[in-house]
């Protein structure tokens, strides 16, 4: 209770110092570090002011990275009887980072592990609230400078992962520090989940502006309580009204019923969906319709789709399936199906980054020429 009180009363920029001080006083911790994951989901960076005064920690081969990936506490045994506990900092499945706490007495450290895990979750909520008033945590997230377009896009996104009893979601964009047109959005209610996967036209800030307009229009219609087809129609009018058909945005839209698995779908463009069901991967195609903003007053028709408990749905933009190898071979559905099979044991939050790593191997070089977006949905239902 004392630590929670200190977190809630601390100034936004002082959260890290507050948790360090209180864990020392209340639990006898000898050192405490708050690590925030970077936009590329490759390193965990210490929250310092100014940032980057200490080296980052790898997500892939470190004890802190193990706790981040598994979303379970991991205890590291040190010399002289000390232990170091790595605790995931997350909010409703949205993975923010890791709280690392070192104890001089191993027995005392292990005894309070459950309480520390709860405090790490409280800390996650406070970090999200603090981001409204300070840039400290957003600065800590960047391993490199973001382009202006990427800055706009990351501010638009809901998060990189989300978890509810009925589903798990994970998403990632590449190149993380220079994205411009691709995006996604999701929103859950008591009975449903709305998911958009979008591929914007153009490059740089022009693509980011187009995406921002389209997603804001979709959210405006959704929050007004309009059905899926009307959301698409109003966003289509907003984009056409601004660009006159010169620019448009492709989007795949879903409205899932949590209780039944029934979904309404509008396929307005190029994003694709693959389904892993009972060990088999297949592409699920819908009736294609015009992208948002291509023509004036387009009418959109909803299609029906059903998802079953245990299904994994993977959504990708053309920056994934159309990427060519050095020999000119497109990545395509076959390679994507292999990547989905290879990552079938990973949690949904880990799948997008793993698929994008596979894509880098196919491309033959690290730098992506086009945005690449992967979204993974694991469906449990009720």
């Amino acid at each position: 209770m004392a630590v929670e009180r200190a977190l809630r009363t601390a100034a936004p920029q002082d959260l890290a110092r507050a948790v360090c001080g209180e864990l020392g006083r209340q639990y006898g911790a000898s050192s405490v570090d708050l690590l925030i994951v970077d936009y590329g989901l490759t390193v965990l960076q210490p929250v310092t002011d100014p940032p980057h005064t200490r080296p980052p920690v790898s997500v892939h081969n470190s004890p802190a990275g193990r706790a981040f990936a598994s979303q379970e506490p991991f205890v590291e045994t040190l010399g002289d009887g000390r232990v170091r506990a790595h605790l995931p900092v997350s909010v409703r499945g949205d993975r923010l980072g890791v709280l690392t706490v070192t104890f001089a007495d191993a027995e005392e450290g292990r005894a309070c592990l459950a309480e520390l895990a709860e405090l790490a979750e409280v800390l996650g909520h406070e970090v999200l609230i603090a981001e409204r008033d300070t840039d400290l945590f957003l600065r800590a997230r960047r391993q490199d400078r973001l382009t202006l377009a990427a800055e706009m896009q990351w501010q638009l996104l809901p998060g990189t992962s989300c978890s509810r009893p009925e589903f798990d979601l994970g998403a990632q964009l590449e190149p993380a520090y220079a994205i411009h047109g691709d995006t996604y959005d999701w929103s859950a209610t008591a009975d449903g989940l709305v998911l958009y996967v979008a591929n914007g036209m153009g490059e740089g800030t022009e693509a980011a502006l187009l995406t921002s307009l389209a997603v804001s229009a979709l959210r405006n219609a959704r929050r007004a309580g309009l059905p899926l087809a009307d959301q698409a129609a109003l966003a289509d009018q907003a984009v056409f009204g601004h660009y006159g058909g010169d620019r448009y945005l492709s989007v795949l839209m879903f409205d899932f019923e949590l209780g039944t698995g029934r979904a309404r779908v509008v396929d307005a463009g190029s994003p694709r969906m693959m389904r892993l069901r009972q060990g088999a991967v297949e592409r699920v195609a819908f009736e294609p319709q015009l992208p948002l903003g291509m023509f004036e007053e387009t009418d959109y028709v909803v299609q029906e789709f059903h998802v079953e408990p245990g299904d994994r749905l993977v959504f990708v933009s053309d920056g994934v399936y159309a990427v060519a190898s050095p020999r000119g071979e497109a990545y395509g559905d076959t390679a994507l199906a292999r990547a989905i099979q290879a990552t079938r044991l990973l949690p949904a939050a880990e799948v997008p980054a793993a698929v994008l790593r596979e894509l880098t191997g196919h491309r033959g070089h690290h730098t992506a020429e086009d945005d690449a977006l992967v979204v993974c949905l694991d469906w449990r239902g009720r």
Side-chain angles (χ1 to χ4, degrees), residues 58-124:
S58 172
V59 164
H60 305 298
N61 55 10
S62 68
R66 179 171 174 174
F68 180 80
S70 68
Q71 289 295 286
E72 295 288 342
F74 176 71
V75 179
E76 180 185 5
T77 302
L78 307 175
D80 303 325
R82 296 178 302 139
V83 295
R84 181 172 293 144
H86 303 278
L87 309 147
V89 177
S90 61
V91 181
R92 297 187 178 91
D94 188 12
R95 304 176 304 164
L96 305 180
V98 172
L99 181 65
T100 296
V101 187
T102 304
F103 292 92
D105 187 299
E107 186 175 341
E108 287 184 5
R110 294 180 186 278
C112 62
L113 193 62
E115 286 189 18
L116 292 175
E118 290 187 23
L119 289 172
E121 187 174 341
V122 173
L123 176 60

Side-chain angles (χ1 to χ4, degrees), residues 37-299:
V37 70
D38 85 306
Y39 286 108
L41 300 180
T42 59
V43 296
L44 293 157
Q45 305 207 120
V47 175
T48 54
D49 195 4
H52 313 322
T53 56
R54 284 181 289 148
V57 176
S58 172
V59 164
H60 305 298
N61 55 10
S62 68
R66 179 171 174 174
F68 180 80
S70 68
Q71 289 295 286
E72 295 288 342
F74 176 71
V75 179
E76 180 185 5
T77 302
L78 307 175
D80 303 325
R82 296 178 302 139
V83 295
R84 181 172 293 144
H86 303 278
L87 309 147
V89 177
S90 61
V91 181
R92 297 187 178 91
D94 188 12
R95 304 176 304 164
L96 305 180
V98 172
L99 181 65
T100 296
V101 187
T102 304
F103 292 92
D105 187 299
E107 186 175 341
E108 287 184 5
R110 294 180 186 278
C112 62
L113 193 62
E115 286 189 18
L116 292 175
E118 290 187 23
L119 289 172
E121 187 174 341
V122 173
L123 176 60
H125 285 266
E126 294 301 322
V127 167
L128 282 188
I129 295 171
E131 285 182 353
R132 298 184 303 183
D133 300 312
T134 179
D135 287 337
L136 176 63
F137 302 103
L138 294 174
R139 290 176 68 194
R141 286 193 65 185
R142 51 199 74 194
Q143 191 179 17
D144 199 354
R145 182 172 179 176
L146 294 175
T147 63
L148 176 56
E151 187 82 52
M152 296 166 64
Q153 288 289 65
W154 282 108
Q155 291 299 309
L156 191 67
L157 295 172
T160 57
S161 52
C162 176
S163 184
R164 291 257 314 251
E166 299 88 356
F167 63 83
D168 288 321
L169 269 165
Q172 182 60 6
L173 287 153
E174 183 189 80
Y177 290 85
I179 57 174
H180 35 79
D182 290 2
T183 193
Y184 57 88
D185 192 30
W186 57 61
S187 177
T189 65
D191 300 309
L193 167 68
V194 174
L195 172 65
Y196 310 137
V197 180
N199 181 13
M201 177 184 178
E203 297 182 356
T205 55
E206 287 299 321
L209 287 167
L210 167 64
T211 299
S212 181
L213 173 63
V215 171
S216 296
L218 287 169
R219 288 174 173 173
N220 180 256
R222 182 183 75 219
R223 292 164 183 171
L226 299 182
L228 202 67
D230 291 342
Q231 294 174 29
L234 286 181
D236 172 70
Q237 292 173 23
V239 175
F240 185 86
H242 189 78
Y243 292 101
D246 293 334
R247 293 185 177 274
Y248 48 84
L249 179 131
S250 299
V251 62
L252 186 57
M253 305 170 60
F254 284 78
D255 186 354
F256 296 93
E257 292 180 357
L258 299 182
T260 65
R262 177 171 172 260
R264 300 168 183 84
V265 184
V266 170
D267 184 350
S270 60
R272 291 185 182 178
M273 187 187 83
M274 306 289 284
R275 177 176 62 197
L276 172 61
R277 174 178 287 176
Q278 296 179 353
V281 180
E282 62 178 339
R283 180 185 170 191
V284 179
F286 301 99
E287 187 68 29
Q289 302 178 66
L290 293 173
L292 305 184
M294 181 172 281
F295 295 104
E296 189 173 11
E297 296 183 356
T298 304
D299 290 327

Side-chain angles (χ1 to χ4, degrees), residues 170-173 184 314-317 320 351-353 355-356 372-376:
Q172 182 60 6
L173 287 153
Y184 57 88
V314 178
F315 310 85
V316 297
S317 67
V320 175
V351 170
V355 171
L356 290 173
L373 166 63
V374 180
V375 178
C376 179

